[in-house]
Structure formats: C-alpha cells, structure tokens
Amino acid sequence: MTATLWGRIRAIMRRLSSAFGRSSLALTGRREQFDPAHPWFLSATERDNSDTRIREWTDSNDVIPLIHGRVYFAALAKALARAGSNDLVLFTDWRGDADQQLVDGVTVADAFAGAARRGATVRGMMWRSHIETLGFPGRRNRKLAEALEAAGGEVILDQRVPALGSHHQKFVVVRYSDVHTPDVAFVGGIDLARARRDDADHFGDPLSRPFPPEYGETPAWHDAQLQIHGPAVRDVEDVFRERWEDPAALSRLPWHALPDILRGLTRSPSELPPPATPPEPCGTCSVQLLRTYPRRRPAYPFAREGERSAAKAYAKVLHRAKSLVYVEDQYLWSVDVARVFAEALRREPRLRLVAVVPKYLDDDSPITIPSALLGHSSALETIRDAGGDRVLVLDLENDRGIPVYVHSKVCIVDDTWAAVGSDNFNRRSWTHDSELTAAVVDTARDVRAPVDPSGLGDGARRFARDLRLQLAREHLGRDDDDDADLIDPDRFFDVVTDSVDALDRWHTAPSAGTRPPGRLRRHHIDVPPQWQQRAAALVYRLVVDPDGRPFRMRLRRTY
C-alpha cells in the first residue's frame, strides 16, 4: 500500500471518528451569512426545510408565560372545559399519566375525555416509548390512550422515530367553533404527567413518581409553558397535522402492533377535519416555531432530510448576543451545544451567561449516569473556559434547602428574543428527537432603562424582559414588584452573583445567622474518573446524546 493511499485512508478514518465521536454541530461555520430578513428569526431558507407547511413566523400574537405546572394545568383545564360539539382538540406528549390532576378533582383523562363526550374531536399522539423496564413511560401512555379512546377520542402510540429516538414534543391546541371563544395553543416543556403540578413554593406535586432520593419524597419541579392566542395557533396545529398524516407505520415491531390490536387501539389514524382559517391577530408578539426532526428512513414527508431549526435559531441569536444570555435547561450536557455558547462568549467580551440547571440527574442508572456526567462536565468546562467569571452556572433549591428539579427549557437573549419549548441544550434535542419550541419577539418595546441592552438598536422587548424578571424574582425570593435592581442585565448578573455567594456562605456555616433570601446555588458536579469516562464515552455518543443528522452533514460538520 502506497504512503499516499495510506494517508488518504487515515484521513477518512479521522473524519469518521469525528462524525461518530467528537463531532461538532459547527453552528458557526456560516455565521457571517445569516439572512438579514429578520435579525432574530430564521428565514425560510435558513430553516432549510421546503417540505413543511408551517410559516416562517407570524405577527400579532398574544403570548403568556405559564411558569409551573400548577399554573399551566389550571389554564389547560379551563380551555378543555370549554371544548364541545364541533371543536377540535389536538395534543402530543412524551409522557402522559391518566390520573394526573390538572386541578383538584379533574384528571388529565377526565379533561380530555370530557371534551370528547361533549362532541369535540379529540386527537392525540403519545410517544410509544422504549422498554418499560428501563423506566420509559410506555404503559402509562398506553393507559391514557385507552381511556381517551373509550370516551370517543383517538390517540395513537407513535414510534415513528429512529431506533434510539423519541417524540419529545409537548403541546396542546384547541380550536373552537364559536367565533367568540379565542383559539389557544400551549407549547413548552411540561408533560401531562405526575410530579409536574408544582408551584412557586416548590414543595412538589403530591401525586409524585419514583425519583432520585436527593429530591425527597415529593420532588420539587420547576417548569415552563407558553399560552398562545393568535395566528401562531394555526402553525402549532399544522405541526400536529404533519405528524398525524405521516403514512409510515406507527411501529414496525410486531410486539408493538399485536398488543395495540388486541386492546383496540388505533393503528391507522383517521382523517382530520379540514383546518379552519388562522385565528385573527390579537397581540403584539411575533412567534416563530422551531423544531427538530431527525433524518429517518422512510423519510418524514414534512422533513425529508430532517429539520434542525432549533439548533439554527440558537446559532443565529447567539451570534447576535451582546449583553446577557439567560438559560434554564434540564440537560446542558453536550459539548457540541456548549461550543455555540463558548464561541459567543469569546467573540463578545462583555457578554454574560446565567444558566440554571438541575443539581442532580433525574436518573439513578449505573449505565447512564457516568455517561451523562461525562457530557455535562465537558459541556460546563467548555463554557467556563470561554467565559470565565462572566459565566454563572447555578442550580436551584426551595426554602427548605431541598433541591428543585429544573425541567424548564428557557432561553432569553439581550431582553429581546425569548424561547420556551421542549428542546434541551444537547445534541439529542438539536438533531435527533422530535422537538417544538416557540421563539418570541415582542414588538412592544420596554421603556425601562437600559432600553437597548445589546446596543444594536433592537431594543429591550416587553415579553422577554418580563419573563426574565419573573423568573429572577422567584429564584431570588423577591416580591412581585421588587425588581428595580434586576432590570439592567449587567446589574442583574452582579445581584444574582451576590445572592448566590451569600446563600453558599450560609450553607457552609448555617449556624452563623438567618438563612438569606434566594434559592440559587453555584452548580458543582463530581467529574467521573478517567477510566469511567473512557468506558462511558461510547454510551454517551450513541445512546445518551445521539446524532440524528444525515451522514454527509456529520462528515462535513454542518447542520
């Protein structure tokens, strides 16, 4: 074998190793070529999915953040109670528990089944899930499907995903036939499941689920969802319709199909009613829906090469970030994703990052914990190396000092652009599993100084700033109107740092005085030893945080 040929083989092997191992999303490879059609939203060209029917973005929406499961569930229960004859109810979920209470005395099954019995067309898509003995929610999802089918609804157990993938979208759409009742969509990260019905006190949901013991018997749960009225509701509906109309088999595994047939569950989805016209404009918020779909065979007809608009959107907005990026996320544990934040921090010397993550993993598996810790520690190291003392990575506890599980997926950039959805900051969510996030830019300017934190003329927007302040007041133990020193993003960072340091000092010597206000702590994790990292690396890359891009994109490190 000649030296030249051997050199080429080695080069190919290095590229393959990179594609399946240390591959980067290379989200900055075209950073100077972002379409100026909108400074914060993706153009249709940037979305790079001509197969979809959803629009680039919609204007004039009313968007309300619903922080905590208790708040969201109450709003959802109210919306479903209004649904009846000739109305349309659509929902998707990763996990759904039929017995979870939306409000006292009304379960998830009660609310959806009630709408169906009153004559509403109720259609749902639950992820079928993987092996239930590994903790996946297949049995619970099937139980909810059975309850709604018995009431006249139609729910499919959807496994039209790659071998190790999942359907992770969590949204509900209600279209009313009464023109005086505004249609509504709920988009975010909150499952219709146990343990989610917590509130700002963070004492947990009495109807809990098995969870790592560090979180206590009723784990406290921090989460977020959006309530949307206006034209964007139709786009959320179309996300559902695209998946529902996918002609691929719900599952190609006979041990999935046979139990469904025996239980009378839907195996061939019926035709949906024709879509109504989009709702009328009703607010000041522009909304863009961001998604992830993997490359699948047979291909998704609405995303033949997959879709990675969530990843692309973060690349675009982080390239524009100048002042403050605020993040809450369940799984900030991918180096590929961390590099996007790191490059923003290196490029802009005054940019600061505040990230709120869970103190402990939501898993106690001896197989996945080392792999997850490997990814998490590597991601945090990448970000901290880039930003130094401009980076705060924090976790959350309640006023009793018990850790709060952070499940929310929130990002706010320069008090202008905000996103709430189902996608986490890992490669799985950005390339592999189905995800849905709503990005919001309010046309209403916020007049509180500084009126333009980025200095680019974009101006602070009311929705994004109010959302950051709402979350900050809760985490700092503030009253609703106590945020004057938090408005300026630079001062906000310093105030949060002081609060975190005070609480950490008190935990070091709790007998020294009264516990200071606030719930944020500096986040520390135990880095796996080298031998464990090596053993966990393959599991991490292939199972915990897989890559759903087409093969050629992995080789070229593009998205």
Side-chain angles (χ1 to χ4, degrees), residues 160-193:
R160 295 173 291 189
V161 295
L164 297 175
S166 75
H167 280 304
H168 198 240
Q169 297 170 340
K170 304 113 186 280
F171 65 85
V172 180
V173 177
V174 186
R175 302 293 307 268
Y176 299 100
S177 57
D178 180 2
V179 296
H180 301 294
T181 305
D183 299 331
V184 63
F186 301 96
V187 176
I190 304 181
D191 294 280
L192 303 171

Side-chain angles (χ1 to χ4, degrees), residues 305-324:
E305 291 297 317
E307 182 176 318
R308 291 155 294 279
S309 55
K312 294 169 185 283
Y314 283 111
K316 185 168 185 173
V317 300
L318 289 172
H319 175 67
R320 196 169 180 81
K322 297 293 182 181
S323 177
L324 177 71

Side-chain angles (χ1 to χ4, degrees), residues 222 324-328 352-356 410-414 425 467-468 471-472 475 492 496 520:
H222 179 70
L324 177 71
V325 177
Y326 177 84
V327 165
E328 294 183 357
R352 291 175 167 184
L353 169 67
V354 176
V356 182
V410 176
C411 185
I412 303 165
V413 179
D414 288 347
F425 288 126
L467 177 57
R468 176 174 65 84
L471 294 167
H475 298 335
F492 164 81
V496 170
L520 294 170

Side-chain angles (χ1 to χ4, degrees), residues 2 6 20 106 120 127 161 211 222 256-257 268 309 312 323 326 334 346 365 372 381 388 391 441 493 509:
T2 66
W6 178 242
F20 291 106
V106 179
W127 178 46
V161 295
F211 217 63
H222 179 70
H256 283 168
S268 299
S309 55
K312 294 169 185 283
S323 177
Y326 177 84
S334 171
R346 290 192 181 98
S365 167
E381 181 181 5
V391 173
V441 175
F493 187 94

